[in-house]
């Protein structure tokens, strides 16, 4: 378990991270979302031990994260690497820096390249790799030393849909043996691999955003089997009624609506209800609501 | 030590892949040849410029001495055009790693920031010295061949002084790289500060004898073991250590 407590960081007299506390559970994939300049990358760099915070602590198994450098894998937003190196040379370079010996590297490099789907590009020069391949090489260098905590900074932002799909599938596979935190703008994509999300804006944690389907208690959608009979709107004080089509109506109010009460009233009015449900809210919509208020 | 070796070796490999190992010595060879060549054929060159009769050269003017020719090569050619090209060659020593994400990938591993900085300083310093020394050696041979013998100890002193100055410029560029993020402003500022550090001690040698550029203001016949030279060497070494130390302090907060 990784515990982040009251993290605070100022750079050039500007508060970048403001009293951030949260926990990442083992084998969980946590999504970090927020607008540009929210402090996501800085937070991830603090988690990686690269930046020391002014206040607060980051602990992993009750010890400072800095004592766990060997257990951390990090993928930066930029994955240009040394473009003259081949994939193998690049991994060998990072492996040596991680303290892996030659025998271990000889075994690990093909395994890792296989895992990220780059085995055929083992001797390919990085300069000739596509954006998606570089991103996968970035993940390969991050998992080369078999870390238990993986930090991914926008791993799929610059990729096409198929590239994003590949990265998400890879993250799903890695999740089985690692704890992962991933910053992203692509909420719909991240939904497939993240268990929950944290929203950050202006360096402040706005709160969690779980990956469950949330509903809007202020809006109810009713579908009928046959066209709804005419009714007086006075039966529904302070409720706005929108007719989407003859068999579909939307009821909205300024306060939470009671689903069963509305259903009873409509049945009394002679409606043959096919379905009645609160309006679902998408992850992106909830995120936008959250950041708009701050 | 293994980390230092890995980082340094990669910098050398990169210099090889970018042909820096080849073009930098070639450039300094060209610089090293230019000054003796110009002085050797000055009469011929001057005769072909000016009016139809050319420029008349005083036939009784003293012949250039080998020490003056060699000193002019190092302190003139090497410290002007050479310095510009050297700074251009290593102005991105931190900025390029920052832009490509390499710095993040390296520093999130068990790599000390000081070792990372030191490897940058050492590898770029050695690559620069390698190019400069080959050029200086060529110039020395050509000067001796055309202008007569030159004390190896004096030549060594001039080369050593410029080597120390080069190492100081590398550490200065490293320090400026911890303040600025882009390679071009880093290069321009390094060049301006370097030129000032050479110009000021030559204007006030008695006051600014402790400045790193003071080594280049010493008269060409200064003995290797003279007190002014030894003070210059010690001052330059202290300046190198100070700039490296300051870079390390800055890099703790700015390595991202």
């Amino acid at each position: 378990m990784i515990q982040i407590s009251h993290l605070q960081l100022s750079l050039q007299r500007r508060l970048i991270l403001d009293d951030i506390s949260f926990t990442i559970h083992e084998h969980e994939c946590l999504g970090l979302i927020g607008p540009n300049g929210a402090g996501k990358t800085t937070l991830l760099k603090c988690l990686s031990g690269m930046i020391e915070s002014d206040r607060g602590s980051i602990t992993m198994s009750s010890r400072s994260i800095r004592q766990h450098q060997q257990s951390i894998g990090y993928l930066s937003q930029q994955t240009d690497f040394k473009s003259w190196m081949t994939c193998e040379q690049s991994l060998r370079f990072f492996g040596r820096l991680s303290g892996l010996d030659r025998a271990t590297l000889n075994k690990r490099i093909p395994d890792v390249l296989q895992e990220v789907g780059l085995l055929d590009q083992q001797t390919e020069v990085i300069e000739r790799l596509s954006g998606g391949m570089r991103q996968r090489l970035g993940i390969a260098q991050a998992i080369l030393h078999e870390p238990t905590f993986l930090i991914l900074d926008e791993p799929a932002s610059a990729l096409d849909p198929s590239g994003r799909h590949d990265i998400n599938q890879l993250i799903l596979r890695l999740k089985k043996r690692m704890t992962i935190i991933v910053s992203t703008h692509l909420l719909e994509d991240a939904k497939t691999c993240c268990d929950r999300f944290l929203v950050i804006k202006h360096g402040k944690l706005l709160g969690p955003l779980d990956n469950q389907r949330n509903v809007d208690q202020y809006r109810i959608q009713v579908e009928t089997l046959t066209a709804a009979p005419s009714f007086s709107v006075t039966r529904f004080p302070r409720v706005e009624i929108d007719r989407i089509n003859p068999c579909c109506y939307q009821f909205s109010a300024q306060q939470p609506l009671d689903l069963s009460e509305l259903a009873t009233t409509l049945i009394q009015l002679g409606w043959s209800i096919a379905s009645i449900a609160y309006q679902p809210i998408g992850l992106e919509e909830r995120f936008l609501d959250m950041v708009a208020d701050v | 030590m293994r980390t230092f070796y890995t980082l340094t070796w990669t910098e050398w490999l990169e210099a090889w892949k970018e042909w820096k190992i080849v073009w930098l010595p070639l450039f300094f060879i060209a610089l090293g040849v230019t000054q003796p060549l110009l002085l050797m054929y000055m009469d011929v060159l001057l005769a072909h410029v000016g009016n139809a009769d050319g420029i008349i050269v005083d036939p009784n003017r003293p012949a250039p001495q080998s020490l003056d020719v060699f000193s002019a090569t190092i302190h003139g050619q090497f410290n002007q055009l050479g310095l510009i090209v050297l700074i251009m060659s290593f102005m991105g020593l931190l900025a390029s790693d920052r832009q490509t994400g390499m710095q993040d990938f390296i520093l999130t591993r068990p790599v000390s920031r000081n070792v990372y900085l030191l490897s940058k300083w050492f590898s770029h310093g050695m690559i620069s010295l390698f190019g400069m020394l080959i050029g200086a050696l060529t110039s020395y041979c050509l000067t001796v061949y055309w202008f007569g013998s030159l004390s190896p100890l004096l030549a060594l002193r001039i080369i050593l002084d410029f080597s120390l100055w080069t190492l100081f410029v590398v550490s200065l560029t490293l320090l400026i790289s911890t303040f600025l993020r882009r390679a071009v402003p880093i290069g321009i500022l390094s060049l301006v500060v370097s030129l000032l550090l050479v110009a000021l001690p030559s204007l006030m040698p008695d006051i600014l004898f402790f400045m790193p550029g003071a080594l280049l203001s010493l008269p060409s016949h200064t003995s290797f073991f003279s007190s002014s030279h030894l003070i210059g060497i010690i001052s330059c070494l202290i300046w190198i250590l100070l700039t490296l130390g300051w870079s390390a302090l800055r890099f703790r907060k700015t390595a991202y």
Side-chain angles (χ1 to χ4, degrees), chain B residues 90-104:
Chain B
F90 54 65
M91 65 188 183
L93 84 178
L94 288 187
S96 61
D97 268 9
R98 216 177 263 148
Q99 273 169 0
T100 56
M102 282 301 281
Q103 202 176 82
D104 293 351

Side-chain angles (χ1 to χ4, degrees), chain A residues 8-11 13-19 54 202-203:
Chain A
Q8 189 158 314
L9 177 76
S10 296
L11 295 173
R13 293 179 197 163
R14 219 182 105 220
L15 193 61
I16 307 291
L17 300 177
D18 186 7
D19 195 28
D54 299 333
H202 299 319

